[in-house]
Structure formats: C-alpha cells, structure tokens
Amino acid sequence: FDLPVNKTALVVGGGVAGMTCALSIAKQGHGVHIVEKNEALGGMARRLHTTLEGLDVQSYLNHLIQDVYQNPLIQVSHEATIKQVDGYIGNFTTTIETEGRVKEIKHGASILAIGAEEYKPTEYLYGRHPKVITQKEFEALLVTQPDRAGQLNRVAMIQCVGSREPEHLYCSRVCCTAAIKNSLKLKTITPHAQISILYRDIRTFGLKEACYLEARRQAVRFYRFERDQKPQVTATGNTLTISVFDAQLQAPVKLETDLLVLSAAIRPRQESRQLAEAMRLPLDEDGFFMEAHPKLRPLDFATPGVYLCGLDQVPKFAAESIA
C-alpha cells in the first residue's frame, strides 16, 4: 500500500500538558504545530504559583515556554480556533483561523490538551460580596499581596463548591489539597490567623495526607457538613457570618470571617463540545473527553491517530498533567 504518512503532530492547547507533549515529540525529531486559543501559552498554570511541595510553578512554566519558542521543530498559532478537520491517521488536514487569517495544517496525528477551567460559583455570595473569592484568587493574593494577606485574622474555606452535586457528581480532586496548601501558606505569613475549613470529605490522598496532618497541628480547624445541610452565608458590612451544622459534633456552629474562600470545581471548557463535534470525538457525561478504554488505552481515542492528555480528560494535578 502506498499511503501518505505525515509525521508532523498537531497539539491543540498550549498549556503545560500540551507544551510538554510538543517538546517530547520534537525531541524525537518530528515537527509539531501547537494551536492555542489565547494570546499567550501557559493555560491554567498561569494562575498556579506553587505546588503543595513548594515548587515554583511560574519559574517552571517560563522555562517551558522558552523551550517551546526556541525549538525549531515547533510552530505556534496564537488566538486560533479549529474550523474543520478532515482525513485519517497519517494524513489529517486541519483548518484553523488564527490572528485574522485562515490556515491549513497537514499532520499525521492529533493530541488534545485544551485543559479545563475553574467554575465561577453562584453560591455563597460569590460575585456579590468583595470578601468572597475562589482558591485560585486566594493563592494569587498570598503570593502577590502578602502584606494584605498578613492582615487577615479569620479566614474560612468551603469545599466542594460545584462538585459532587447531582448535576456534577465527580470530585475535582485538587480542591482539598489547594485548601491545605493555601492554609499552610497563610500560616507562614501570619501564624496567628484563625483558619476554618468546612468540608464534606477531605481527600488529600497519598503523601499529601502528611500536609493535612500538619495543617491540623498548626490549629487549622475542620468542620464537616452533609450535602443536604450546606453552610449558610450572610453578610453584615465587611463581616461574613457562616452558619453550619457540624456532622461530627452534631451541633450548629457559627463562624465570623474576614474572608471566605470557595474551593470551586474544575469544569470542562466550553470549547470541548465544539471541538468534539468538529473532530467527531466522544465526551463523557460530565463533558470531559472520553478515552477509548480507561485501562487498556487511557490516552487514546477510539479514532486512530488522535490522543489526549491533561485536564481535558479528567481533573488532575499539574504533575499528573505533565506526566
């Protein structure tokens, strides 16, 4: 058979997973074209400053971006959207619109790494009160405005906001770890801060459990609530009051806080559905891309020559996306 075989790869998404994938392919001597919808590479990692282990995400990200732009085998299209996909494994043609012009890319394989996004809550006065923020916003505050963070005496966090609900049954996996990480970070800035975490189940699995125990040793307080007895939040001026029925104490608890931090869910990007239709790819019931088989073919689609990695498959930590 004399079939054309194009060894160039198309990577859709310029986040940490997509760039790592592109560099890996380029190191094997194959050309790569990254299609990124934003003006800059980086994806959700641009909002992540440190890991639980204390690694500097932004430094790693900057080096990764530099390696991508300096690699002669990698081309990047910014502000790009996919309009049409034709062909088969070894001979795909993808039409994209990028920076006001239409371009055709011929490639032999496709890798989807478009990532996911943080859910914007409608619960607990988010968007209606300035003292209610998400974990990602709180992390940015701790890193970029430590003086302001040092003035916080009482901080409360509510877990599972937008996750583990009838409409979104999955666990977002990273939320508990983010709450623990940011609590310990605040303790290094202001040791006397009173931190309260309202949770349904703490899921700091593996060695992350040691950090959960450290948070308890540093007097971070944990209050467990049931799904049908969620916390109630009211505002009086700049002070927020949280009422919750503690499932462990079997008693109502009332907390006053200077800042309320919501551990918001990881949700699929809206482009996932459009991309799934354009490339004829399956989504699971939650809107994430669905692999061919979770154990036998965890990174393949049923369509030959199309693969996936990163957050567009399932909520995961940055290190897992890189791996």
Side-chain angles (χ1 to χ4, degrees):
F1 297 96
D2 186 20
L3 295 176
V5 177
N6 188 324
K7 294 187 178 180
T8 300
L10 178 75
V11 177
V12 184
V16 167
M19 288 189 289
T20 302
C21 180
L23 286 167
S24 178
I25 295 169
K27 286 176 182 177
Q28 299 176 56
H30 304 302
V32 187
H33 202 122
I34 297 177
V35 176
E36 168 57 41
K37 76 179 186 70
N38 294 313
E39 294 181 1
L41 299 174
M44 185 178 273
R46 287 192 169 276
R47 301 183 63 196
L48 184 64
H49 296 272
T50 61
T51 65
L52 183 63
E53 297 77 18
L55 300 178
D56 188 340
V57 176
Q58 292 306 304
S59 176
Y60 178 85
L61 179 62
N62 291 334
H63 281 98
L64 195 65
I65 293 173
Q66 186 177 15
D67 289 344
V68 166
Y69 283 129
Q70 290 180 348
N71 195 303
L73 292 176
I74 300 177
Q75 300 180 54
V76 183
S77 294
H78 302 92
E79 300 180 72
T81 55
I82 291 178
K83 296 300 182 182
Q84 187 174 340
V85 180
D86 298 302
Y88 47 86
I89 181 172
N91 189 31
F92 288 110
T93 300
T94 298
T95 304
I96 67 171
E97 184 176 333
T98 173
E99 298 175 329
R101 60 193 179 93
V102 176
K103 180 164 61 173
E104 278 191 355
I105 302 172
K106 296 187 180 298
H107 56 102
S110 302
I111 300 95
L112 299 191
I114 66 171
E117 58 192 2
E118 184 184 44
Y119 165 60
K120 293 301 180 187
T122 57
E123 307 93 322
Y124 305 119
L125 302 181
Y126 181 82
R128 289 169 282 164
H129 195 283
K131 295 295 183 70
V132 183
I133 62 176
T134 66
Q135 284 289 357
K136 283 284 184 292
E137 293 165 346
F138 185 48
E139 181 173 346
L141 171 67
L142 292 171
V143 174
T144 62
Q145 302 180 60
D147 292 341
R148 181 184 168 195
Q151 298 174 4
L152 297 171
N153 295 313
R154 300 169 299 177
V155 174
M157 301 180 181
I158 299 179
Q159 302 301 106
C160 296
V161 179
S163 281
R164 303 177 67 205
E165 299 289 348
E167 319 85 61
H168 302 279
L169 288 172
Y170 63 91
C171 168
S172 291
R173 294 187 76 240
V174 305
C175 310
C176 290
T177 301
I180 299 298
K181 177 186 72 175
N182 291 335
S183 295
L184 292 174
K185 177 67 175 178
L186 180 59
K187 281 289 187 179
T188 64
I189 297 173
T190 172
H192 66 271
Q194 187 182 89
I195 304 172
S196 304
I197 297 179
L198 285 64
Y199 72 100
R200 288 173 56 193
D201 297 287
I202 292 293
R203 295 184 173 184
T204 48
F205 48 84
L207 297 178
K208 296 177 177 62
E209 189 75 5
C211 295
Y212 164 64
L213 295 175
E214 178 61 25
R216 294 189 71 104
R217 277 193 290 267
Q218 294 198 29
V220 176
R221 302 184 300 180
F222 293 82
Y223 300 92
R224 184 173 179 273
F225 66 91
E226 299 290 351
R227 193 182 74 188
D228 57 354
Q229 293 180 310
K230 293 179 183 176
Q232 302 295 315
V233 179
T234 57
T236 305
N238 286 328
T239 302
L240 295 168
T241 302
I242 305 170
S243 302
V244 63
F245 186 83
D246 189 302
Q248 307 284 43
L249 299 176
Q250 286 295 299
V253 175
K254 184 171 288 189
L255 304 170
E256 289 190 349
T257 184
D258 304 319
L259 186 71
L260 175 58
V261 183
L262 306 181
S263 292
I266 291 178
R267 292 278 175 87
R269 292 195 181 279
Q270 294 181 350
E271 308 92 271
S272 293
R273 195 163 298 280
Q274 300 167 356
L275 198 55
E277 293 175 359
M279 301 183 73
R280 298 178 291 280
L281 299 172
L283 299 173
D284 65 19
E285 60 185 3
D286 299 311
F288 292 97
F289 285 108
M290 187 164 61
E291 66 279 348
H293 192 284
K295 293 188 181 294
L296 302 180
R297 297 174 62 193
L299 302 179
D300 302 47
F301 283 103
T303 304
V306 187
Y307 309 89
L308 76 164
C309 64
L311 280 176
D312 55 6
Q313 181 182 19
V314 69
K316 60 184 73 171
F317 292 93
E320 294 173 319
S321 291
I322 292 168

